[in-house]
Amino acid sequence: MIYRREIDGLRALAVLPVILFHAGISTFQGGFVGVDIFFVISGYLITTILLSEMSQGRFSITHFYERRARRILPALYFVMLCCLPFAWYLLPPTHLEDFSESAATVTLFLSNVLFWSESGYFGVESDLKPLLHTWSLAVEEQYYLLFPLLLMGLWRFRKRWTFLALILISLVSLLSAHWGAEHAPSATFFLLHTRFWELGIGAITAFILKYHHKEPFQTDTQVSSNISTKVSAECLSLLGLLGIGYAIVAFDDHTPFPSLYTLIPTLGTALIILFATPNTVAGRLLGVKPLVGIGLISYSAYLWHQPLFAFARHYSFYDVSTHWFLLLCALALSLAYLTWRFIESPFRDKQRISRRALFAFTLAGGTFFLTLGITGDIQNGFEERYVRNQTVPKGDINHIDFHRYLDETYHECTPTHLAQEAPRYAGYVRCKQSKEDKKIDIALIGDSHAEHLFIGVSEALHDKNVVYYLQNKKPLLSTPDFDNIFEHVTHEPSIQTVILTMHYFKKLEDFTSLSELEKALDQTTGHLIAQGKNVILIGDVPRFQFDPFICAYSITPQNSGLCESPISEINIINEAFLKRIANKNRIEYIQIDDLICQNSICNMAQGDTLLYRDSHHLNIPGSRYVGSAMIERTSLLSPALTAP
């Protein structure tokens, strides 16, 4: 197989946006498409090798799996090994238990299945998982296990039929992904059957180059002299670059993904593979030394970046500045070079590392991490490392348990079409109601800071049917994916009361200024009032600069834990502009930070009960405490509203 510099440059174009996306650099909000670029490249390279060896009658499944093991496992196991001391020191029991589970599933190439069953890719909790990024390796390994067998089964037929079969399978996978992006987003994101088509695009590209004699790196005089061919190559390869660039800056975590939208970066990648050469502008751009160098170490860079970011967030309790993230990016690339130089390269050299030594290493490494992972899971994240703070023995700090409780306790939204149209997050519909009745009395609308009040509000208003609808994009309520729900809330006569609240600090990121956010809230409130709704505006809970495990656990019995923090300035600012909106529209405003704060000092715990599950989300007891106290301050418990 002839070496192509532009492919390594394309690898750099894939890995850098992924790293910058995970670093939270807003310009690269669609940087996660770098994984999709990798999938297309992998599908192309693997299929090219398979076609070459099968056509020459020298294909060996053992040799194929050996090459994959040399390419993937040594660097992966090395990075995982380096993660262990940091995981032991920095991760609280619940997070170390999750880390242990992921370490075990990585060795079985099933980490994508694990993360599918957890909180999803775009959630806050996902940023704290050091091995989250291994989901894509699991998808590729599953593909590597199955695709050679599929190709061997089809090889007896004519190449045209094999090619058409591959197109058909990829098309079915693409349509499944587009449907699943709306109806089963988490499974669609993580699992092979809805990612196969991306690797399939790479495989189809390999077939085109192999059997249509259009290798872009050939320098046939007749082809080179064909002006139309040269112009087409220039235009199509540049179009591919533009498609990738557009996806990186225009996509975000609200883009249905993977779906038909994903064709933009994946077909862009295919166009570059097909048409970019050293004689084209795109090929020359991708072939520059810095990009080629990063492309060579791209796999190790991908392995290193997520653990570095996750451990930094744990160490600083999620308060990592952009400056530090950029330094961590540089560190990831530096470690990637060392790993490529001293781990990847030696293991890929069959003269230095024999097949027997490789398989022995693979077996030993897999056994070690599988055993360690199972042990960590059984031991509940080795919680004996910490002493439970006996002053705060109760409370759940697990996101999964909170959302599992919502799913098991409350009902899907009615009418049923609203459950399908509600914005989705982490694999479940962000819309629940307290009763199964179709008649809804009270709507709680906002983002996750509305959701975490729902349990307490529903239990306090046990004779009412309360529903929550969540969305996260500006303008606050009327968005393309929220219009139907917003129209339902405003025009449904049974919904007499609308409670508005949200993570105002986070919401500011969607607006250019606080005054713009205030204006949007004012307009939304005014629209609801015009429709005859009783609107109640709720303040926000205080945000802490540390996670609840600091409060719940102590490193030594003498350390009583850290539960207190001064109230943040943003809460004070929020209170001022929320009061202005309430006074202007003559609606109720309920301040709730004083339920947790006294004399400007806020406490994650009240008595012996922990209230938070992360630095700014309430847990189940916290929802009951704050939600019920909040309702007691409103007019919703007046006799007129509680009468049958």
Side-chain angles (χ1 to χ4, degrees), residues 444 453-461 466 499 623 627-628 630-631:
L444 174 62
L453 294 173
F454 174 72
I455 295 172
V457 171
S458 297
E459 292 182 359
L461 299 171
V466 182
I499 301 174
S623 179
S628 61
M630 176 192 87
I631 291 301

Side-chain angles (χ1 to χ4, degrees), residues 283-320:
R284 287 193 294 272
L285 288 173
L286 292 172
V288 298
K289 286 186 177 181
L291 283 182
V292 172
I294 293 173
L296 288 172
I297 63 172
S298 59
Y299 173 59
S300 289
Y302 182 76
L303 290 178
W304 276 112
H305 83 281
Q306 177 65 14
L308 290 174
F309 294 170
F311 288 134
R313 289 182 171 109
H314 278 285
Y315 179 77
S316 63
F317 308 120
Y318 222 92
D319 187 24
V320 185

Side-chain angles (χ1 to χ4, degrees), residues 236-497:
L236 292 173
S237 57
L238 285 174
L239 180 63
L241 273 180
L242 289 174
I244 291 173
Y246 172 79
I248 289 171
V249 299
F251 288 5
D252 59 24
D253 56 357
H254 297 278
T255 305
F257 213 85
S259 66
L260 292 177
Y261 288 97
T262 319
L263 286 171
I264 296 175
T266 51
L267 289 182
T269 304
L271 288 175
I272 291 172
I273 295 173
L274 286 169
F275 297 104
T277 75
N279 297 320
T280 63
V281 173
R284 287 193 294 272
L285 288 173
L286 292 172
V288 298
K289 286 186 177 181
L291 283 182
V292 172
I294 293 173
L296 288 172
I297 63 172
S298 59
Y299 173 59
S300 289
Y302 182 76
L303 290 178
W304 276 112
H305 83 281
Q306 177 65 14
L308 290 174
F309 294 170
F311 288 134
R313 289 182 171 109
H314 278 285
Y315 179 77
S316 63
F317 308 120
Y318 222 92
D319 187 24
V320 185
S321 67
T322 300
H323 171 75
W324 278 107
F325 269 126
L326 293 176
L327 289 177
L328 290 172
C329 291
L331 178 59
L333 293 177
S334 300
L335 292 173
Y337 171 76
L338 295 174
T339 306
W340 172 78
R341 177 70 175 81
F342 297 106
I343 304 294
E344 281 194 70
S345 297
F347 270 93
R348 294 174 71 176
D349 186 349
K350 295 181 181 180
Q351 302 301 317
R352 300 178 65 176
I353 308 293
S354 67
R355 177 190 294 181
R356 176 175 294 183
L358 174 70
F359 286 167
F361 166 82
T362 300
L363 180 62
T367 302
F368 172 75
F369 286 111
L370 184 61
T371 303
L372 185 67
I374 293 173
T375 303
D377 185 38
I378 294 174
Q379 295 295 320
N380 299 317
F382 302 101
E383 60 183 354
E384 67 276 3
R385 295 174 301 141
Y386 295 91
V387 177
R388 183 77 186 193
N389 185 352
Q390 294 304 309
T391 63
V392 192
K394 301 175 184 178
D396 165 44
I397 56 176
N398 192 317
H399 273 266
I400 299 172
D401 289 347
F402 182 90
H403 292 119
R404 185 181 295 125
Y405 181 83
L406 283 178
D407 288 340
E408 294 174 353
T409 307
Y410 296 99
H411 307 280
E412 292 294 336
C413 294
T414 55
T416 54
H417 74 276
L418 291 179
Q420 297 173 352
E421 292 165 354
R424 295 163 179 267
Y425 174 81
Y428 60 87
V429 178
R430 304 207 79 179
C431 179
K432 292 286 183 182
Q433 61 188 53
S434 58
K435 297 182 183 297
E436 209 165 2
D437 302 340
K438 291 185 178 180
K439 178 178 174 290
I440 297 170
D441 302 302
I442 297 171
L444 174 62
I445 300 181
D447 53 20
S448 60
H449 282 212
E451 178 192 53
H452 72 179
L453 294 173
F454 174 72
I455 295 172
V457 171
S458 297
E459 292 182 359
L461 299 171
H462 56 85
D463 58 336
K464 300 294 181 182
N465 189 13
V466 182
V467 64
Y468 76 75
Y469 299 114
L470 273 70
Q471 58 90 38
N472 293 292
K473 265 294 197 186
K474 72 170 185 179
L476 295 175
L477 298 178
S478 184
T479 61
D481 62 351
F482 208 78
D483 276 343
N484 290 333
I485 289 174
F486 187 60
E487 288 301 309
H488 174 75
V489 170
T490 54
H491 295 106
E492 173 56 46
S494 69
I495 301 178
Q496 294 295 310
T497 299

Side-chain angles (χ1 to χ4, degrees), residues 51 54-55 150-157 159 162 211:
L51 292 178
M54 286 182 175
S55 63
L150 172 66
L151 206 57
M152 289 170 63
L154 294 172
W155 198 248
R156 70 188 69 178
F157 304 105
K159 302 301 177 291
T162 302
Y211 293 108

Side-chain angles (χ1 to χ4, degrees), residues 10 13-14 33-42 244 248 265-266 269:
L10 191 56
L13 193 60
V33 304
V35 173
D36 306 274
I37 298 171
F38 273 126
F39 283 157
V40 177
I41 295 173
S42 295
I244 291 173
I248 289 171
T266 51
T269 304

